[in-house]
Amino acid sequence: MATYCLTVARLQLALGHGIRRLHVSAAFCARAKVSMSHFEPSSYIAYEKLQSNVNTVRKRLNRPLTLSEKIVYGHLDSPADQEIVRGRTYLRLRPDRVAMQDATAQMAMLQFISSGLPKVAVPSTIHCDHLIEAQVGGAQDLQKAKEVNQEVYNFLASSGAKYGVGFWKPGSGIIHQIILENYAYPGVMLIGTDSHTPNGGGLGGICIGVGGADAVDVMAGIPWELKCPKVIGVKLTGTLSGWTSPKDIILKVAGILTVKGGTGAIVEYHGPGVDSISCTGMATICNMGAEIGATTSVFPYNHRMRTYLEKTGRADIAALAEEYKELLVPDTGCEYDQLIEINLNELKPHINGPFTPDLAHPVSSIGSVAEKNGWPLDVKVGLIGSCTNSSYEDMGRAASLAKQALDKGLKCKAKFTITPGSEQIRATIERDGYSKIFNDVGGVVLANACGPCIGQWDRRDVKKGEKNTIVTSFNRNFTARNDANPATHAFVTSPEIVTALAIAGTLKFNPETDYLTAPNGEKFKLQPPTGDELPARGFDPGQDTYQHPPSDGTGLRVDVNPQSNRLQLLEPFDKWNGRDLEDLQVLIKVKGKCTTDHISAAGPWLKFRGHLDNISNNLLIGAVNVENDAVNKIRNQLTGEFGGVPDVAREYKRNGVSWVVVGDENYGEGSSREHAALEPRHLGGRAIIVKSFARIHETNLKKQGLLPLTFADPADYEKIRPDDKISITGLKTFVPGKPLQAILKHSDGSKETIELNHTFNETQIEWFQAGSALNRMKELQK
């Protein structure tokens, strides 16, 4: 029964209202070392309800439905009369669950506290995975994080207890792995305050990354808005084998669609090739769908999901999913807005990068490409793990290669780090000997956390500015993301390829064809990796790291010290004054790629995620200024002197000068962090004008009362000068579908007028007028 020790969380999956409950005995609880009080029935939507909604929509649309349509439309607040047009209408949805990681949960919970509501309306959890810095090793790093972040962890635990939110303590693991092991199931709709929430699509769920304000809506019981997604189909044929892994599928897709090709769409995988992929492998593919801008990704229910559910203590759910299997796969004859076909028999191992996750190369050619482009060939560090690739199977396949090297007397030439995805994974790979193999080959097993993937890495083997190469099994490789060094060339690939390259120490090594040399001079080839999909002896749950909220938290207090530099209660933003926005100063005209990492850096700034004023000191410090090609160096138009972006923004605010940011394509690509929207609002920003937006960031800006606007003619980007003043007109008649205008006032006295598009609907216009979505929520409570 050891497998069931983590049922504190799992048995919240007891599905009421027509879905069978999981039965728990007192004897079971004694064996699992948990209390019967943990196992309260939850309010998950029943398959019967899902089926009923789908039947209603099917009659209305009178056509076959894709899998993602079934799940999304099955969660409509009003399936009988909701307008449904892919890519155009907004849907009002009722998600089943909310999940928040600790860096984003701080602001989400602060906003929920500001709402004045007594308790969350849907099952919700907080996961402590982002604030643990990788330094020396798992146990030491975890202990230090508990000490350094005690104030934040106490805030999250106490606010969770007061408002009915489950709390996964530091050391539990990465949010998306915990969700897969405990909360995801076929047909669920879950939103999470992290862009890689789509990981849950590996278990057949529609799991979508959002900002904290969206999470507050759902926790408050308000229907959640989402533009009706288009559907991109990816048909898989053939079978994965040899060195090719699930990661190579999404690396290939990223190369096809680019970082913005999935925007506004759900990527739906299907076809006979699906059955050759493990459940956790499907999760890997869905997870990294965030890198192509997709709303989410999903796989159809199959036997690999059933086995995973059974192995993670959810056999009852697997049995029920079997009964409703037709609901959990696409209809025959359904149509996709775009179709991509990939033959897995022909797919080769890939490695993407540097600096962007869609720059795809076959591993066989990366050495020559690197030489041609002047990228460093020596691999300084190989890093496996992250929310994308930290499953038992990932660890086993990597360990099989490390064992081959050890058997020949070799250790890694590069530094090698391993991040388990959860406490359950850590305990199981330790029991089964994988951890020892990693240690023996020269690796370091880090804490069950995000670590270097999000910049939580105290890297000391190279100096900042030193050109070098790292290879990772992570998902993102933006400039300076992992180690704060803009000269680091980061490449994304599978854990197997990372391990092979860490052993060889060079990008020029192709494990399919090249030989290694043992200390005795023997030449040998690494055989293709092998690894069990799931542990034969079941999972070892490790330590119980979950805190369930009490049934009644009304008597509990959540204290925020007014003197704290890490936590700060929120003040409401000002309402729209009813007039057009006149003479907005251009704060910065951004050149090229501008991700949420550029707008609100992570790494050392994570500690301020609960303090809006302090974290605003990182506003746009990574964005390139078109005026001088420099970062964090813009001209203060009041003084004529150059200064840091947040410093100039603060001076404008002190002087009553509102401002605007001008940007390029896919502005706000990357993480879901709503701080990238909160910070410009807090420092006096009013509008962001760009060629195109990433989905989550555009929504986050709307939620905070900002105007995300796009050039009707992208060439108009060139018309704006860094010293311009811009007036945005048409706000008095602001309605969906009607463009606004911008009057550009140049310093030479000339003027130009350009047209700006927007995607606001009526509800979102009310957010703008109220000053924020949270302000509007409070207005509706009166």
Side-chain angles (χ1 to χ4, degrees), residues 469-634:
T469 283
I470 64 174
V471 291
T472 82
S473 71
F474 304 162
N475 40 51
R476 292 193 176 130
N477 55 353
F478 303 144
T479 302
R481 177 176 173 86
N482 302 124
D483 61 0
N485 181 4
T488 293
H489 292 55
F491 294 85
V492 175
T493 186
S494 68
E496 299 94 309
I497 297 298
V498 171
T499 305
L501 295 181
I503 292 168
T506 175
L507 285 179
K508 294 194 73 173
F509 180 69
N510 177 7
E512 290 189 298
T513 59
D514 295 346
Y515 287 80
L516 294 168
T517 303
N520 64 4
E522 176 190 355
K523 302 282 188 180
F524 72 98
K525 280 176 64 177
L526 292 171
Q527 296 305 302
T530 59
D532 291 337
E533 178 178 346
L534 293 162
R537 291 191 284 162
F539 284 106
D540 181 336
Q543 300 178 38
D544 180 8
T545 55
Y546 176 73
Q547 171 187 297
H548 196 63
S551 56
D552 183 3
T554 54
L556 301 177
R557 287 184 52 126
V558 180
D559 290 325
V560 175
N561 185 343
Q563 309 307 313
S564 172
N565 71 345
R566 296 197 62 177
L567 295 167
Q568 180 187 48
L569 293 174
L570 297 174
E571 295 292 334
F573 291 130
D574 60 306
K575 295 178 64 173
W576 175 55
N577 62 13
R579 300 191 296 271
D580 288 337
L581 298 176
E582 298 285 348
D583 292 335
L584 302 177
Q585 187 68 61
V586 174
L587 176 68
I588 179 174
K589 182 178 178 182
V590 177
K591 179 181 179 180
K593 184 186 282 283
C594 189
T595 72
T596 50
D597 281 277
H598 296 92
I599 303 168
S600 176
W605 293 95
L606 283 171
K607 60 179 173 286
F608 298 125
R609 284 284 182 88
H611 197 292
L612 179 54
D613 192 57
N614 282 348
I615 198 168
S616 292
N617 289 322
N618 75 0
L619 175 65
L620 286 160
I621 61 175
V624 177
N625 180 13
V626 75
E627 186 177 3
N628 54 12
D629 283 335
V631 296
N632 202 27
K633 188 177 182 181
I634 62 172

Side-chain angles (χ1 to χ4, degrees), residues 718-779:
E718 302 298 338
K719 293 180 179 179
I720 297 180
R721 305 170 190 173
D723 60 351
D724 279 351
K725 291 188 176 180
I726 299 177
S727 296
I728 297 174
T729 64
L731 292 175
K732 294 179 182 179
T733 55
F734 192 11
V735 292
K738 181 181 178 182
L740 301 173
Q741 284 74 45
I743 301 171
L744 314 181
K745 300 177 183 179
H746 304 311
S747 57
D748 61 8
S750 62
K751 294 183 180 181
E752 296 181 77
T753 299
I754 62 174
E755 192 169 88
L756 301 175
N757 293 331
H758 66 85
T759 61
F760 280 82
N761 62 24
E762 291 177 354
T763 299
Q764 294 167 348
I765 290 172
E766 291 174 353
W767 299 344
F768 167 74
Q769 292 169 341
S772 70
L774 187 58
N775 287 358
R776 181 58 180 157
M777 182 193 298
K778 291 179 181 178
E779 288 178 354

